[in-house]
Amino acid sequence: MTATGDFPAPGPQDREPPRDRYAAPHPAAGPIAGPQTPMLAWHKPGIVPLRPLQLGDILDGAVKAIRFNPKSMVGLSVIVLAVFLVPSASIGIGATHLVTRALSGLGTGAEAFLGYPSLFLQSVFTAFATAILSGLLVYVVGEAVLGRKPDIATTWRATRSRVLSLLALMALSGLFTLLAMVLLIGPGVLLLINNNTGTGAILLFLGLLGFMVVAVAFSTKISLAAPAIVLEGHHALAGLRRSFVLTKGAFWRILGITLLAGLLAGIAGTVLGLPFSAAGTAIAVTSGHGSESALMIETFVSHLSALLTGAITTPFVAAVTGLLYIDRRMRTEALDVVLIRASQSNPPL
């Protein structure tokens, strides 16, 4: 088993010629040298069949990945989210207290801004947790494809060296998003500030449309970077390049499946979060909407909701991304041949 979980990156860094790993076997030799019966027996050693995947395979495989190894998929999600959201809740409660004191003399109109600091902190901490967690869970999904169940300790040992690259990937994508926002939305905002309302509004509207298109296109093109970083051992820039290569010719398919997975995860998150929303509303009514104590309790409830719902929805989205990555490599680099060989030579216990 390789350090990257039996998903070696193609190219000059391989110890054996790339053709042996990824090129389809010569027709005269058959699909794989050796007896054919074992290959058929291991055609589906794990959560998905070892062939190019359809939409149903990917969605079903994502659910099966969670059910196949819930301790690592859900357990790791709870741990990573807790590491980030517990400090976020503590800082958010403190920030709420400070902001409440600072805005207490500004009247009731300032109450609308009291919850913004904690909400912003929660968003930032959740983004960091999700960036790391999505990469770590891809390793578990990759192993589940081969029918293996790595525990949390094994997963951490195999992926901890990739955490900095995952954070670098998040930083690079964030910088690009900020730059696009400044270039596309900034001119319209500047015109509005300078009282050029008509032209500013039109330019802002066009800028927002352009930013949405650029953001969706860019996020789709880099969607497979995290799996490439974790499973192939790339650094952030190389992972971005690999993602651009793997998404070539499949942009709309990847975008559609990603949006569908996000929609399903959003619906599940909303349903799971309903009890917490109801509790937050009841607290606000009982304690007085906008009061410092109510806002502190709402901050805690919001973080708790994000922790528990994220422990279910994040593994599903990460599994879909991981399976999309595996599917693209099976379609373009004959990864299914490599996986069948791996499942034959080192079957799951």
Side-chain angles (χ1 to χ4, degrees):
M1 180 175 174
T2 63
T4 54
D6 285 323
F7 293 84
Q13 69 269 32
D14 292 339
R15 295 184 179 274
E16 58 184 278
R19 179 180 178 83
D20 292 340
R21 290 184 176 224
Y22 296 100
H26 193 277
I32 294 180
Q36 298 304 305
T37 302
M39 182 192 73
L40 294 175
W42 290 109
H43 188 64
K44 187 180 177 182
I47 58 175
V48 292
L50 299 183
R51 57 164 172 75
L53 304 175
Q54 303 303 316
L55 172 62
D57 297 324
I58 293 174
L59 296 180
D60 181 61
V63 175
K64 285 182 177 178
I66 300 174
R67 297 175 61 186
F68 182 73
N69 192 358
K71 290 184 179 179
S72 293
M73 294 291 286
V74 179
L76 189 61
S77 299
V78 171
I79 292 173
V80 174
L81 287 169
V83 167
F84 282 87
L85 289 179
V86 169
S88 173
S90 301
I91 298 172
I93 290 173
T96 299
H97 173 71
L98 294 176
V99 172
T100 302
R101 293 293 181 87
L103 300 180
S104 59
L106 299 181
T108 57
E111 292 180 356
F113 299 95
L114 296 180
Y116 284 3
S118 63
L119 182 61
F120 173 76
L121 287 170
Q122 180 179 336
S123 300
V124 171
F125 276 80
T126 301
F128 276 102
T130 303
I132 295 175
L133 187 57
S134 297
L136 302 185
L137 293 177
V138 163
Y139 174 82
V140 183
V141 174
E143 293 292 278
V145 169
L146 294 173
R148 301 169 187 167
K149 296 182 179 181
D151 57 22
I152 293 176
T154 301
T155 301
W156 175 245
R157 285 194 298 269
T159 58
R160 61 187 175 188
S161 61
R162 314 314 310 156
V163 170
L164 290 179
S165 295
L166 292 171
L167 290 176
L169 173 65
M170 179 184 174
L172 289 173
S173 61
L175 286 174
F176 177 86
T177 302
L178 180 61
L179 179 63
M181 186 181 298
V182 171
L183 293 178
L184 295 174
I185 300 178
V189 173
L190 288 176
L191 288 176
L192 289 175
I193 292 175
N194 288 281
N195 297 321
N196 195 337
T197 307
T199 305
I202 295 174
L203 196 58
L204 179 60
F205 176 73
L206 295 176
L208 286 171
L209 289 180
F211 174 74
M212 291 175 60
V213 171
V214 170
V216 170
F218 181 71
S219 63
T220 303
K221 294 296 292 183
I222 70 169
S223 61
L224 304 184
I229 289 172
V230 173
L231 297 178
E232 298 182 23
H234 290 305
H235 55 75
L237 289 176
L240 286 171
R241 288 194 295 268
R242 279 289 286 155
S243 183
F244 270 76
V245 171
L246 290 172
T247 55
K248 185 178 181 180
F251 175 87
W252 294 109
R253 181 172 188 268
I254 293 173
L255 173 60
I257 294 176
T258 301
L259 289 177
L260 178 59
L263 176 62
L264 294 175
I267 294 173
T270 300
V271 172
L272 293 172
L274 283 177
F276 299 97
S277 299
T281 302
I283 291 170
V285 172
T286 303
S287 302
H289 184 72
S291 67
E292 181 179 346
S293 59
L295 288 170
M296 289 182 175
I297 297 175
E298 288 176 3
T299 297
F300 173 79
V301 172
S302 175
H303 280 76
L304 182 61
S305 174
L307 171 62
L308 297 180
T309 59
I312 302 298
T313 57
T314 303
F316 175 76
V317 175
V320 169
T321 302
L323 292 175
L324 277 172
Y325 162 85
I326 293 171
D327 171 66
R328 287 304 299 158
R329 290 193 63 186
M330 288 195 292
R331 292 175 184 272
T332 61
E333 300 172 356
L335 182 64
D336 48 342
V337 176
V338 179
L339 296 180
I340 291 173
R341 287 172 176 163
S343 66
Q344 288 181 313
S345 61
N346 187 17
L349 299 176

